[in-house]
Amino acid sequence: MTESELREAVTRELPGVRADLERLVRIPGIAFEGFDHSHVERSAEAVAELLRGCGLDVEIVRADGQPAVIGRRAAPPGAPTVMLYAHHDVQPVGDRALWESDPFEPVERDGRLYGRGAADDKAGIMAHVAALRAFGDRLPVGVVLFVEGEEEYGSDSLEQLLADHREKIASDVIVIADSTNWDVGVPALTTSLRGVVNCFVEVRTLHHAVHSGMFGGAVPDALTTLVRLLATLHDDAGNVAVEGLVGRDEAIVDYPEDRFRAEAGLAEGVRLIGSGRITDRLWTRPALAVLGIDAPATAEAPNALVPAAKAKLSLRLAPGDEPKQAYLALRDHLERYAPWGAQVDVTFEHDGAPCVIDASGPVFDAARAAFRAAWDGTDPVDIGVGGSIPFIATFQEMFPQAAILVTGVEDPHARAHGPNESLHLGEFARVCLAEALLLAKVAEAGTAPTR
């Protein structure tokens, strides 16, 4: 199909694609513990139905986890096979009072579609579907659609799923539609992502709570102790102060501070933390955040010294770091700097490796040409991402000959994982066109099968 024909086909399919996206958003498929996982099952079934409608051979698979969906269509003779990845599970919604509309009832406001999963990552699924629908029976490459069901919960079963179905999903090109674009109107290829280590730290200073007046002033309470310990994790400028972590200054794009402050929603007067270029702080250096603290709620707190307090920490690792070593460095720091001899217990939760992608070669040239065409001549930007998609390292290890393209449906205003998540509908149309053009250009490039 010509570029003109693909443009017309994508435009024709977009109303139906949006309607199906809205149907997916209405399914609260949350894979976290404590949620009704029957909705994840419903979500997988809905995705399977969409893929069958594209003429794919479809199966729902699992490996001691939530259901994933695999759809396949064989390549024409001599053509490459492209894997299209997305995930159908979503993050919990958090405090519903912070949402301006029901998170599971999609609503359009000011050109954006609001709802949990509208961007992350049900729009990724539908971008794949849009490209397949645009081609119909004239698809120039083989495709494997791999739609995971527990990415937001950590992809615990993904490695086993890939091993179990390795032969049927092996591909020459892998497109992972789970990242972001540089800005509205500016496409991007993600070429590096940070890794992650999550853990818990608990401090104990007492065997039981005691009267704050009778013992305060001599006995340290656990909450004050925990706060002092957490304060050692950063220096006065806000740089991570844990020894042994990897960090470097090598980001190739700058991020204007006024734009960054607006997109982050930074409160007036709050200064940025860390030093150096913003993109280095976000992409190529570690970051450390306190995600939560277990301690008495203020409304219920008695006048007593707290005997134990616990915090959840999230450490983002710069490309080149190793999760197990980074965890040991963080654990050693927390144990070494325990205030006043407090007992400190550090518990590992999960980790994921960072990754770097060599974005050179004919497949990446094809992707850049497709993006440039879909965005009317705007060149795509190679970016790093401060977040983590640990399974990309797994794909790199299992399919070392495949070119991996990390693309995105999000933009800096999408608020993925937060209240009022949304999808820019104009950008989504460009993403759908870009993917269709990408498949055509990969076929034109004549990428030889490597398997």
Side-chain angles (χ1 to χ4, degrees), residues 190-212:
T190 297
T191 59
S192 71
L193 296 104
R194 289 193 292 199
V196 64
V197 171
N198 277 12
C199 67
F200 301 93
V201 55
E202 184 173 12
V203 300
R204 179 171 290 278
T205 57
L206 291 156
H207 295 298
H208 52 78
V210 296
H211 194 291
S212 61

Side-chain angles (χ1 to χ4, degrees), residues 192-195 246 248 250 283-285 317-321 354-356:
S192 71
L193 296 104
R194 289 193 292 199
V246 171
R248 54 179 58 89
E250 58 181 25
W283 300 347
T284 64
R285 295 186 192 170
L317 312 181
D321 211 340
C355 77
V356 176

Side-chain angles (χ1 to χ4, degrees), residues 90-290:
V90 299
Q91 281 279 324
V93 300
D95 184 356
R96 287 184 178 243
L98 299 177
W99 288 77
E100 295 181 19
S101 53
D102 186 333
F104 294 112
E105 182 52 49
V107 175
E108 181 180 348
R109 295 194 297 271
D110 299 322
R112 303 188 70 97
L113 185 68
Y114 286 81
R116 176 58 89 222
D120 183 16
D121 184 32
K122 292 177 177 180
I125 299 170
M126 294 312 303
H128 298 328
V129 170
L132 296 183
R133 288 179 179 175
F135 281 105
D137 293 332
R138 301 165 66 185
L139 191 62
V141 296
V143 294
V144 175
L145 257 78
F146 187 93
V147 185
E148 191 188 352
E150 57 181 24
E151 191 275 344
E152 299 292 9
Y153 190 55
S155 297
D156 289 345
S157 69
L158 178 62
E159 188 168 348
Q160 188 60 53
L161 278 173
L162 295 177
D164 291 345
H165 304 279
R166 185 170 186 160
E167 292 303 317
K168 68 180 69 170
I169 65 176
S171 303
D172 306 293
V173 180
I174 300 173
V175 179
I176 297 174
D178 193 22
S179 189
T180 187
N181 287 303
W182 178 235
D183 199 358
V184 173
V186 184
L189 280 172
T190 297
T191 59
S192 71
L193 296 104
R194 289 193 292 199
V196 64
V197 171
N198 277 12
C199 67
F200 301 93
V201 55
E202 184 173 12
V203 300
R204 179 171 290 278
T205 57
L206 291 156
H207 295 298
H208 52 78
V210 296
H211 194 291
S212 61
M214 299 294 290
F215 294 94
V219 174
D221 70 90
L223 193 49
T224 297
T225 304
L226 176 63
V227 169
R228 289 178 65 92
L229 176 58
L230 297 178
T232 69
L233 296 173
H234 297 83
D235 64 20
D236 289 343
N239 297 295
V240 176
V242 177
E243 295 181 4
L245 301 178
V246 171
R248 54 179 58 89
D249 295 342
E250 58 181 25
I252 60 174
V253 179
D254 205 2
Y255 203 154
E257 182 172 340
D258 56 348
R259 176 188 157 192
F260 176 72
R261 293 180 67 91
E263 291 174 354
L266 209 62
E268 185 176 352
V270 176
R271 297 190 298 275
L272 301 183
I273 62 173
S275 55
R277 291 200 303 179
I278 291 174
T279 43
D280 286 320
R281 286 179 252 178
L282 297 176
W283 300 347
T284 64
R285 295 186 192 170
L288 187 50
V290 180

